[in-house]
Amino acid sequence: RTDTWKMELPHAPYLFMLAVGDFKVYKDTWRGKEVSYYLEPKYAPFAKQIFGNTPDMLEFFSQRLGVEFPWNKYAQIVVRDYVSGAMENTTATLHGEFLQLTDRQLADRDYQDESVIAHELFHQWFGDYVTAESWSNLTVNESLADFSEGLYAEHKYGADAADSHNHRNLRSYLRSAPDAQKQLVRFQYDQQEDMFDLVSYQKGGAILDMLRTYLGDDVFFAGLQKYLKDNAFGNGEAHQMRLAMEAVSGQDLNWFYNQWYFSTGHPVVSIEYAWDAAKKVQSVTVKQNQPGQTFQLPFAIDYYVRGKVQRQRVLMTQTSQTFTMPLTAKPDLVSVDAEKTLVWQQTDNKPLAEFAYQYAHAPLYVARREALLAAAAKQTTDPAALKLLLTGLNDTFFNLRMVAAERLDLEDKAVAKTALPALRKRAATEAHPHTLAGLLTALAKGHDKRDEKLFTQQLAKSQSYAVQAAALQALAAVNPPLALSKAKALENTDQSSLLQAVVGVYAQSGGLPQWAFVRDHFDAAQGQAKFDYFEGMGTMLARLDDPKAFAEDVDRLKAVATQYKKFGVDQPVIGMLQQAIKQQTTGTNATVNQEVATKAVAEIEALK
């Protein structure tokens, strides 16, 4: 048999792919073009549920960009043992096996897991139709694709879903200090894989969202359209993107690209407020505290006075700058970066009362999240802060309900007395599986036997694997022997979330009899899946008195620290080992185990 495929339109050679396997094909259509999904036979019945939004994505992206999907068909193929999450081969995207789910598993899927479908499809424009001229300019591929994830979430699921997704990506970059030292466009790197990092993806996507806010939708998307049309079936780089944006906006954008694409870092700011009652003038002082360059920052400040909002657009050009606004009365809230798209780290020094007003009246997801985090920091000392945090349990968006639940300090008796009834009430009506799982996890921190019935019921009856997994681990907090027996009964499950819960229970409540199960599942896990068992390995270490088992655990943790040191994994491993040293103080083998762990810490710290 000979199969021939003719590629009539030019594309980059690295975007060629041939996949061979035992697939079942589900065929869909969009504007008369074939849209097909290749899956292993077991998952074929769920193809429409897994990939069903693809035609809508094709339509949305085509219209939003003003450039119709350029290829004659689009296929998506799920494969095993792929070297990365997915790959945007021209007309035929490869996806890793994580995308294959049954109908019950799909009930737990959130947009974070679906977003890869939008990401890879957007590459058919940014990456395939126009391809980065070199790995140095990978940003014109990957930053655009990262940006598209939030763009489609906004279209399909609303502003909160988009802002939540974008903000999570931004936080991933901001947590990585080494990445702040890298330029988005950089011409020196050891190997091309070094370019595929939090800068090219998450930071780059956030920068595009910031540019969209600055230019406005009409200009920004006209700029993307011009870039695509000017460089169609060819190569592009950041400067060509800049030139396209300048052409449609009539602005010189060198300042923006120089500081965000060709320089490093991001602003780290503190914000102070002052109200002059005599002059009726509100002052806002923003100070940039990061080393190196001073960033030029255009942003909006919203002033809330007597139920009305007044917006002031400002341009920050100095290290410290004060902005003033005459108002009819002292504002109830001053919201800096009101559109919440600046790439910066901020310390916002406004009182809790203003954060409470912000939660109730500022409409955006990030504004509400900021308020909940401010409340979480004061919940043990300020009843108003705890009240605000508990209000978050009933937020209209599921992710913020999770934020509130996760940050309740239930080790504090006063907080627990007020919060546990509120958590139980919310759990009784919560429909979102991941939020319910978060509520169960929060309740477990209360170590209240009254919650045992809820945990056992959810473990037995829930159709959500995420909820069952959380219920099992929560049960271990109130009845360890029962949790161990329930975990034993689930050892043969093929559901990864439940297996991780079993390992979690064994790590928290088990010992040497359960070690082989934990060890073998850790050893069998590949790639990112290994980290699903990582915390359990560290937790169990302190519980292992047997020198052989203890050394096996230490060796595996040390290997992970060595392999992923450049990503900072060495630090949590060192923390796990040091915790085990502190806890291994009794028992016949304590001294031997302490020596093994101490030696491992020294070896990890000596790694180059």
Side-chain angles (χ1 to χ4, degrees):
R1 163 178 164 174
T2 301
D3 294 277
T4 303
W5 176 255
K6 183 178 181 182
M7 193 68 197
E8 296 180 339
L9 299 173
H11 74 127
Y14 80 91
L15 295 170
F16 169 84
M17 177 276 300
L18 181 66
V20 179
D22 180 17
F23 300 112
K24 277 202 169 184
V25 185
Y26 181 98
K27 293 188 177 181
D28 213 335
T29 60
W30 172 78
R31 294 192 186 180
K33 295 181 178 182
E34 180 181 315
V35 179
S36 51
Y37 319 129
Y38 290 70
L39 293 155
E40 294 172 23
K42 175 183 175 181
Y43 298 97
F46 316 110
K48 187 71 172 177
Q49 291 167 266
I50 296 169
F51 291 113
N53 283 332
T54 303
D56 182 59
M57 292 176 183
L58 282 160
E59 184 65 28
F60 172 66
F61 289 151
S62 294
Q63 291 194 18
R64 202 72 188 88
L65 294 170
V67 177
E68 185 175 326
F69 175 76
W71 314 105
N72 59 355
K73 60 95 175 174
Y74 187 58
Q76 294 178 88
I77 307 99
V78 178
V79 298
R80 290 182 178 265
D81 302 321
Y82 190 53
V83 296
S84 66
M87 179 62 204
E88 66 276 11
N89 310 290
T90 308
T91 79
T93 285
L94 280 180
H95 288 289
E97 62 196 89
F98 66 90
L99 216 54
Q100 293 192 130
L101 301 168
T102 64
D103 52 350
R104 188 173 168 190
Q105 290 172 319
L106 280 160
D108 282 344
R109 184 174 76 166
D110 62 16
Y111 182 69
Q112 186 73 10
D113 297 318
E114 184 190 9
S115 63
V116 65
I117 298 174
H119 179 112
E120 300 305 326
L121 175 56
F122 210 66
H123 270 312
Q124 298 296 317
W125 286 268
F126 295 93
D128 298 7
Y129 187 60
V130 182
T131 306
E133 61 83 31
S134 68
W135 298 120
S136 297
N137 273 278
L138 184 64
T139 179
V140 299
N141 286 15
E142 296 301 346
S143 300
L144 268 297
D146 209 77
F147 166 79
S148 77
E149 297 172 13
L151 185 64
Y152 184 73
E154 179 184 14
H155 160 74
K156 185 69 176 179
Y157 303 110
D160 279 352
D163 291 348
S164 171
H165 185 84
N166 292 339
H167 195 60
R168 177 171 7 187
N169 284 351
L170 175 59
R171 295 198 310 274
S172 294
Y173 158 71
L174 292 174
R175 284 194 296 264
S176 177
D179 286 302
Q181 309 306 313
K182 301 176 185 176
Q183 296 170 333
L184 185 53
V185 177
R186 52 191 185 273
F187 298 96
Q188 293 182 338
Y189 49 85
D190 291 334
Q191 53 185 333
Q192 67 190 47
E193 295 303 320
D194 293 346
M195 292 297 299
F196 292 80
D197 58 13
L198 289 164
V199 179
S200 295
Y201 286 75
Q202 284 83 351
K203 182 183 182 182
I207 288 168
L208 286 162
D209 204 40
M210 185 168 52
L211 183 61
R212 176 190 179 186
T213 299
Y214 174 67
L215 294 177
D217 275 11
D218 290 346
V219 172
F220 176 78
F221 287 105
L224 293 185
Q225 181 189 77
K226 180 171 178 57
Y227 169 80
L228 288 171
K229 289 184 174 180
D230 287 352
N231 302 287
F233 302 113
N235 302 110
E237 54 184 285
H239 277 307
Q240 288 168 312
M241 183 77 72
R242 172 183 61 82
L243 290 169
M245 292 293 177
E246 288 181 339
V248 299
S249 68
Q251 297 186 42
D252 179 352
L253 294 174
N254 274 292
W255 66 270
F256 185 92
Y257 280 80
N258 284 341
Q259 74 180 18
W260 291 113
Y261 283 78
F262 301 101
S263 295
T264 62
H266 52 268
V268 179
V269 306
S270 55
I271 308 170
E272 303 286 350
Y273 306 87
W275 168 250
D276 187 328
K279 296 181 179 179
K280 290 190 175 181
V281 172
Q282 176 68 47
S283 298
V284 179
T285 300
V286 183
K287 183 179 180 181
Q288 297 188 37
N289 303 303
Q290 74 282 353
Q293 69 168 319
T294 296
F295 284 78
Q296 181 171 317
L297 300 172
F299 56 88
I301 305 174
D302 279 356
Y303 301 86
Y304 290 73
V305 181
R306 294 171 178 166
K308 295 183 179 180
V309 186
Q310 187 172 341
R311 175 161 291 183
Q312 177 188 31
R313 293 207 171 272
V314 301
L315 178 63
M316 184 175 190
T317 57
Q318 303 168 23
T319 301
S320 181
Q321 201 162 341
T322 298
F323 306 98
T324 59
M325 174 65 77
L327 300 168
T328 57
K330 186 179 187 300
D332 298 300
L333 168 67
V334 179
S335 178
V336 177
D337 181 29
E339 292 154 309
K340 301 301 178 188
T341 56
L342 280 184
V343 177
W344 69 3
Q345 289 173 294
Q346 58 159 320
T347 300
D348 195 342
N349 296 302
K350 60 173 167 252
L352 181 69
E354 287 198 34
F355 275 115
Y357 193 93
Q358 178 171 308
Y359 180 82
H361 296 89
L364 298 181
Y365 164 88
V366 176
R368 297 183 345 255
R369 187 178 189 276
E370 287 174 355
L372 292 177
L373 295 187
K378 299 181 179 180
Q379 61 182 297
T380 60
T381 58
D382 189 340
L386 179 56
K387 180 181 178 181
L388 173 55
L389 196 55
L390 293 176
T391 299
L393 292 177
N394 297 302
D395 195 275
T396 55
F397 187 55
F398 75 89
N399 180 273
L400 289 180
R401 299 197 294 273
M402 291 173 63
V403 167
E406 289 169 355
R407 281 162 177 78
L408 283 166
D409 184 1
L410 295 166
E411 300 300 324
D412 183 279
K413 291 183 179 180
V415 171
K417 183 179 179 180
T418 304
L420 288 174
L423 285 166
R424 293 181 188 118
K425 183 178 179 180
R426 181 69 237 180
T429 59
E430 182 57 59
H432 192 278
H434 288 288
T435 304
L436 179 54
L439 291 166
L440 297 179
T441 300
L443 282 168
K445 297 174 185 176
H447 302 281
D448 194 324
K449 289 284 288 183
R450 284 177 291 181
D451 295 315
E452 181 179 331
K453 182 179 179 181
L454 172 63
F455 299 154
T456 53
Q457 284 179 338
Q458 291 294 343
L459 177 59
K461 297 180 180 179
S462 178
Q463 290 301 299
S464 163
Y465 292 122
V467 171
Q468 283 189 307
L472 177 60
Q473 291 193 268
L475 186 59
V478 295
N479 190 336
L482 180 58
L484 280 172
S485 67
K486 297 288 187 182
K488 178 70 176 176
L490 290 168
E491 280 189 352
N492 294 322
T493 181
D494 61 353
Q495 301 305 317
S496 60
S497 57
L498 286 179
L499 277 175
Q500 292 159 31
V502 169
V503 169
V505 170
Y506 285 171
Q508 183 179 341
S509 306
L512 186 60
Q514 289 79 31
W515 165 243
F517 181 88
V518 176
R519 177 198 63 206
D520 293 348
H521 279 77
F522 178 82
D523 289 348
Q526 299 293 320
Q528 184 64 35
K530 229 173 185 60
F531 287 93
D532 295 333
Y533 300 100
F534 177 65
E535 186 176 349
M537 293 286 285
T539 303
M540 199 161 196
L541 185 62
R543 304 180 64 83
L544 295 174
D545 180 58
D546 179 76
K548 181 176 181 293
F550 187 89
E552 288 176 344
D553 199 343
V554 168
D555 286 345
R556 284 158 175 78
L557 290 172
K558 187 171 70 174
V560 172
T562 302
Q563 184 175 358
Y564 298 104
K565 180 179 173 66
K566 70 176 182 178
F567 299 110
V569 178
D570 57 317
Q571 293 307 307
V573 170
I574 289 172
M576 293 170 177
L577 292 168
Q578 290 174 335
Q579 185 66 25
I581 293 169
K582 290 180 182 178
Q583 292 180 276
Q584 289 270 344
T585 56
T586 60
T588 57
N589 300 306
T591 301
V592 174
N593 290 342
Q594 284 181 328
E595 290 175 353
V596 170
T598 301
K599 181 181 177 183
V601 170
E603 290 173 346
I604 294 170
E605 289 178 337
L607 291 171
K608 299 295 184 183

